[in-house]
Amino acid sequence: MIKLIAADMDGTLLDSQKRLPPDLFDVLGKLRERGVRFAVASGRQYYNLVRQFPGMENEILFLCENGTMIFDKGAPIFLEPMDKRDWQALIKQLREIPGACPILCCPDTAYCEAGGEEFAENASMYYEKLKYVDDLLDVEANVCKIAVYDLKDAETNSYPAMKKAVEGRFQVTLSGERWIDIMGESNKGTALTALEKLCGVSPEETMAFGDYLNDTQMMGACFTSCAMENAHPDLKKLARFWVPSNDENGVIRTIRRMTGLDDGIAVLEAPYGSPEYRGNLELRDKALRKPLGLDLFSEDLSAEKGYRHFSAVENGEVVGTMMLLPDPDAPGAFRMKQAAVAESCRGKGVGRRLWELVKEAALREGAGKVTVHARKTAAGFYEKLGFSATGGEFLEVGIPHIPMEFDLRG
């Protein structure tokens, strides 16, 4: 189950009007009661972030400055300073790029030079503590990151210029349309990995949400990686799930669904070999194999390592299961198999909720349709989900089945 959740701020947790979800604090309280830690993972400064979570500053973990710092209960628990000679050389290079306005990001404050009204307005939006100095090269502090506001366009101006200039020596990432960040080895992914270790949580027990390219490494540091509908196309290619946009409260809606906050039944993807996967096997054996006089655990299940597995979990027990894999008989299609719901939970919509998650995963995989060999007795269930029969009855494991499919393009 999910034990650690990390969410980016701008374009992810915040809507387009820079507002937090109205039900966020209620959800955070419920997560805390269940022992689930929540981390804000942002390119913003710690002091800017903590101001937005009044009363929760000692409950939330703050993974800030794009992973170069982590704060817990007001104190830094993880820092990655840059060598002074390195950041000074980078400032000199940035001065050669028209429109590039650098900010030195340090644990106690941030430093910048005058850059005009537009720069001042945007810098103050993300930096609560900001000191203007005559020359950044004279600053004496632990610099963990250099943020750059681009008066032109980051993706076409400062980003390619710095990417080329420092290739292989520093990380340069797009963190917004007008922002880039330059760091040493740290990023949101390395910070999330460090946080997992500090919290005693595995990547399989971690969920992360993001929308822009500075969230790239974070998607790879956890199993349940979620890109917002409004995310950069390149980030969507990396995430396991696409979730509703920041203007549709996508983060909170997904958390509620995958942790079961509302009705106690969590619907999530189960990593192969996880406790949930083992629960899937037990339910499949009880519901699908034992009634036929068969034993699932006597079968060769080694191929399932390459499939995607989904579980519905109530009070720590798997009460629903589905499996998704490429359809060997239909190029461009995925097949859903081994669908079962515990008898105690039938009629509660568990099967439909699992299907919605499986459907999202199939869309993410680029499938044009999902096929299923439906037991004849379950064909009505699949019809209600929108599946259509594509052929006549046939026997599989000794009982009648009907081939059916769901057109994802329609």
Side-chain angles (χ1 to χ4, degrees):
M1 291 294 287
I2 303 298
K3 296 182 180 178
L4 174 64
I5 300 172
D8 173 55
M9 282 286 281
D10 297 276
T12 302
L13 195 59
L14 297 175
D15 66 16
S16 57
Q17 302 302 312
K18 303 296 182 182
R19 299 173 300 194
L20 288 168
D23 53 345
L24 173 64
F25 290 91
D26 175 60
V27 167
L28 293 182
K30 290 179 179 178
L31 290 174
R32 186 173 67 252
E33 290 173 2
R34 296 185 178 204
V36 180
R37 299 301 306 270
F38 184 84
V40 174
S42 175
R44 292 183 180 230
Q45 183 187 52
Y46 167 71
Y47 304 100
N48 176 275
L49 290 171
V50 75
R51 179 174 58 84
Q52 302 192 53
F53 294 88
M56 299 292 291
E57 56 270 17
N58 291 328
E59 306 294 338
I60 297 174
L61 295 156
F62 294 91
L63 191 160
C64 44
E65 302 288 11
N66 271 336
T68 59
M69 310 177 199
I70 302 176
F71 281 73
D72 185 19
K73 296 181 174 62
I77 59 173
F78 175 85
L79 290 176
E80 285 289 339
M82 302 172 73
D83 185 274
K84 183 177 181 179
R85 290 170 298 182
D86 288 337
W87 66 255
Q88 286 185 329
L90 290 167
I91 292 298
K92 292 175 182 178
Q93 288 176 303
L94 285 163
R95 286 174 173 172
E96 300 297 318
I97 302 173
C101 303
I103 300 173
L104 296 180
C105 305
C106 309
D108 296 324
T109 191
Y111 299 88
C112 67
E113 298 171 355
E117 184 177 343
E118 178 186 336
F119 167 70
E121 180 180 348
N122 281 274
S124 64
M125 188 183 304
Y126 301 106
Y127 290 89
E128 193 75 11
K129 291 188 177 183
L130 183 64
K131 292 183 179 179
Y132 284 82
V133 297
D134 293 330
D135 190 342
L136 287 175
L137 297 177
D138 294 334
V139 169
E140 296 291 339
N142 284 325
V143 176
C144 292
K145 183 190 82 174
I146 299 177
V148 182
Y149 180 76
D150 197 312
L151 294 170
K152 295 184 176 182
D153 175 73
E155 192 164 2
T156 59
N157 186 41
S158 54
Y159 177 71
M162 290 306 294
K163 189 81 171 174
K164 181 179 180 181
V166 304
E167 187 172 8
R169 294 183 293 126
F170 302 97
Q171 296 184 77
V172 183
T173 183
L174 276 170
S175 52
E177 292 182 3
R178 292 295 190 93
W179 291 93
I180 68 169
D181 285 322
I182 307 172
M183 302 159 288
E185 296 181 356
S186 293
N187 52 58
K188 288 188 182 183
T190 58
L192 185 57
T193 297
L195 192 55
E196 289 167 344
K197 292 178 180 177
L198 289 168
C199 294
V201 172
S202 70
E204 289 75 22
E205 297 170 317
T206 305
M207 172 190 291
F209 297 86
D211 77 299
Y212 218 73
L213 299 183
N214 59 328
D215 300 313
T216 295
Q217 292 88 351
M218 189 166 66
M219 296 293 102
C222 65
F223 181 80
T224 308
S225 53
C226 304
M228 311 304 291
E229 178 59 34
N230 53 289
H232 192 289
D234 289 344
L235 190 75
K236 283 187 171 183
K237 295 176 183 177
L238 303 173
R240 296 186 75 84
F241 291 99
W242 296 339
V243 303
S245 75
N246 60 327
D247 283 326
E248 298 172 291
N249 204 9
V251 171
I252 298 302
R253 288 169 58 186
T254 303
I255 289 174
R256 286 184 180 278
R257 177 172 60 163
M258 291 193 180
T259 61
L261 286 185
D262 293 330
D263 61 3
I265 300 178
V267 180
L268 69 161
E269 183 166 0
Y272 176 83
S274 67
E276 291 78 27
Y277 172 74
R278 293 194 291 273
N280 285 3
L281 295 180
E282 292 172 3
L283 177 58
R284 286 162 51 187
D285 188 55
K286 180 179 180 180
L288 303 177
R289 286 295 189 265
K290 284 291 191 289
L292 301 178
L294 302 173
D295 181 0
L296 178 70
F297 296 98
S298 67
E299 301 175 17
D300 181 5
L301 303 175
S302 59
E304 293 194 2
K305 188 174 184 178
Y307 303 159
R308 297 183 69 169
H309 306 273
F310 302 85
S311 303
V313 182
E314 183 179 41
N315 297 323
E317 180 183 356
V318 171
V319 295
T321 177
M322 286 183 182
M323 187 165 68
L324 185 69
L325 60 149
D327 190 329
D329 302 321
F334 273 68
R335 179 173 295 176
M336 185 170 68
K337 295 181 65 175
Q338 302 297 308
V341 175
E343 189 173 352
S344 62
C345 287
R346 289 171 189 167
K348 294 184 178 181
V350 172
R352 178 175 290 277
R353 289 171 58 186
L354 272 171
W355 158 243
E356 290 298 326
L357 195 62
V358 170
K359 182 170 65 173
E360 289 174 18
L363 284 167
R364 165 65 184 83
E365 296 284 358
K369 60 183 177 181
V370 175
T371 65
V372 65
H373 290 176
R375 294 188 179 194
K376 185 177 179 180
T377 54
F381 165 73
Y382 289 104
E383 287 176 353
K384 290 179 181 178
L385 296 182
F387 281 78
S388 301
T390 57
E393 289 183 25
F394 66 97
L395 290 180
E396 190 171 86
V397 291
I399 59 175
H401 282 69
I402 298 174
M404 306 184 79
E405 69 176 36
F406 184 98
D407 189 349
L408 292 169
R409 295 160 298 192

